Amino acid sequence: MESEHIDNRKLYEVVAHQALLSKTEIEHLKSCEECLEIIRVFVRQQISEEQT
């Protein structure tokens, strides 16, 4: 049984170094392409903002 997705706000906070993922959330990322894609989007967005 697959666990629920990680909240987008939490993923954003992780990318922005404002939060940490729990062990359960880290395990979830190992099998959830959707959550990983959200992280990729946030990382690209942050890189883009830093370059301007």
Side-chain angles (χ1 to χ4, degrees), residues 17-52:
H17 304 282
Q18 298 170 350
L20 298 174
L21 294 175
S22 69
K23 187 173 185 173
T24 305
E25 291 167 327
I26 292 169
E27 287 298 317
H28 173 79
L29 286 178
K30 290 180 180 180
S31 62
C32 183
E33 190 60 37
E34 187 174 332
C35 286
L36 285 173
E37 185 57 33
I38 293 168
I39 288 175
R40 289 181 191 106
V41 169
F42 289 146
V43 168
R44 284 185 207 111
Q45 193 175 46
Q46 188 173 21
I47 290 170
S48 177
E49 289 172 3
E50 290 174 358
Q51 290 178 345
T52 55

